[in-house]
Amino acid sequence: MQPVLEVSGLSRIYGRGCGVCAAETGPAFERNVCRACGSVVAVHDVSFHLLPGEILGIMGESGSGKSTIVKLLNFDETAGGGNARFFDGERTWDLFGLNAAERRWLRDNRMGTVYQNPHLGLNLDISAGGNIAERLLMNNVLSYREIRERAVQLLARTQVPADRMDEHPRRFSGGMQQRVQIARALVTNPPLLLLDEVTSGLDVSVQARILDLILELQEVLKISMIAVTHDLGVIRLLASRTIVMRYGRVVEAGLTDQILEDPQHAYTQELVAAAL
């Protein structure tokens, strides 16, 4: 089966970098800061693939590099090395070889991102419906009636009451803001959705409803997703496969059930034991 996304050798260093950054950082050294030059090796030599309709989990503690992967794939930051290919129908996109206009078009039309902080994914100074309209207008959907209808449909799909469509998201709860963010991400029916700690900071009951919504959308729309989280419960519920990261490296990868029930790497064992 051809993947939707194929990533190989992905790397990103914050700082000037030097010849020993990669060699003297990582899990074996229990650090991602280079002692020679002070650069931070956020991600190094990360490879994975994502299948059609699959949810891939990326798990790790703060500073493991998992959120950096989302930033690189979403063009929020520039990769320092590696390749990423996005297979969209008959077209293959070399993500790190695109010009600015191509990156912008791809992000606005064929990808969706839901951030941990809704402030990054929403304009809190316009209405919930306006946030959806804003993305529709990027795609030349200009009819006011069509925009309203599409906004109502998307908000209903993400369980946001239609009578709140004209309210500003800053007046919403955290869970409701995430629902609006998901609705905005779904505007163009993207085949790829990036989820960056979408339940972090939410009450347990709200988390459960957001996760149920994500699973429902994945089942109905067949969207491929990457779910970045530090929460094993989220990984267990959402992801069919998981990669575990520490200090910018992948330390374990495989089927989620196998990783959680029989972890092989000492760090994964610690994570699983801590969650019991």
Side-chain angles (χ1 to χ4, degrees):
M1 181 183 297
Q2 179 171 285
V4 171
L5 181 69
E6 196 170 65
V7 175
S8 60
L10 185 62
S11 300
R12 177 70 163 98
I13 293 177
Y14 297 110
R16 62 182 178 86
C18 69
V20 299
C21 281
E24 297 190 3
T25 58
F29 298 89
E30 296 192 344
R31 64 173 184 266
N32 59 2
V33 178
C34 177
R35 288 182 175 174
C37 70
S39 298
V40 176
V41 182
V43 174
H44 179 69
D45 197 26
V46 170
S47 300
F48 61 87
H49 66 277
L50 176 68
L51 298 174
E54 178 185 37
I55 300 180
L56 174 70
I58 302 181
M59 181 174 69
E61 62 192 359
S62 178
S64 64
K66 59 189 188 300
S67 291
T68 298
I69 291 175
V70 169
K71 293 174 183 176
L72 298 176
L73 294 176
N74 195 47
F75 310 118
D76 291 328
E77 295 185 3
T78 303
N83 299 287
R85 293 189 298 169
F86 174 49
F87 302 93
D88 184 21
E90 296 182 356
R91 178 160 186 180
T92 299
W93 298 84
D94 175 9
L95 295 187
F96 303 149
L98 304 177
N99 61 40
E102 290 171 328
R103 291 196 300 268
R104 186 166 53 250
W105 186 91
L106 191 63
R107 181 168 61 182
D108 291 344
N109 289 272
R110 307 304 294 152
M111 300 166 66
T113 302
V114 182
Y115 297 93
Q116 174 183 353
N117 186 343
H119 295 196
L120 298 176
L122 295 174
N123 183 340
L124 300 185
D125 294 322
I126 62 176
S127 67
N131 271 276
I132 294 173
E134 189 175 58
R135 196 161 187 210
L136 285 169
L137 289 170
M138 294 177 188
N139 293 277
N140 299 317
V141 180
L142 301 177
S143 162
Y144 177 78
R145 180 183 61 80
E146 187 175 1
I147 289 174
R148 288 288 287 191
E149 289 177 354
R150 179 71 171 143
V152 168
Q153 291 170 0
L154 285 166
L155 291 172
R157 170 161 276 169
T158 54
Q159 302 168 14
V160 177
D163 60 5
R164 303 200 67 180
M165 185 173 71
D166 295 318
E167 290 186 46
H168 287 194
R170 68 172 65 257
R171 298 176 57 185
F172 293 175
S173 66
M176 194 70 76
Q177 288 178 345
Q178 289 297 54
R179 292 176 187 277
V180 176
Q181 212 188 159
I182 293 171
R184 177 181 165 87
L186 295 175
V187 162
T188 59
N189 297 314
L192 175 61
L193 197 61
L194 306 174
L195 308 173
D196 187 10
E197 296 277 15
V198 294
T199 60
S200 182
L202 300 177
D203 293 340
V204 173
S205 61
V206 178
Q207 286 185 29
R209 289 195 291 271
I210 293 293
L211 294 174
D212 285 344
L213 171 62
I214 291 169
L215 284 173
E216 178 185 339
L217 292 171
Q218 188 265 344
E219 181 177 351
V220 173
L221 302 178
K222 308 303 181 186
I223 301 175
S224 299
M225 304 183 190
I226 294 177
V228 169
T229 182
H230 66 279
D231 190 327
L232 267 69
V234 172
I235 287 291
R236 188 184 299 276
L237 182 64
L238 292 184
S240 57
R241 287 188 303 115
T242 295
I243 64 175
V244 182
M245 296 190 63
R246 194 179 196 200
Y247 295 117
R249 272 71 162 185
V250 174
V251 296
E252 191 162 354
L255 296 175
T256 300
D257 287 348
Q258 291 179 352
I259 285 178
L260 297 184
E261 293 174 10
D262 186 24
Q264 299 300 302
H265 193 276
Y267 173 64
T268 313
Q269 292 170 357
E270 290 177 13
L271 289 177
V272 173
L276 295 178

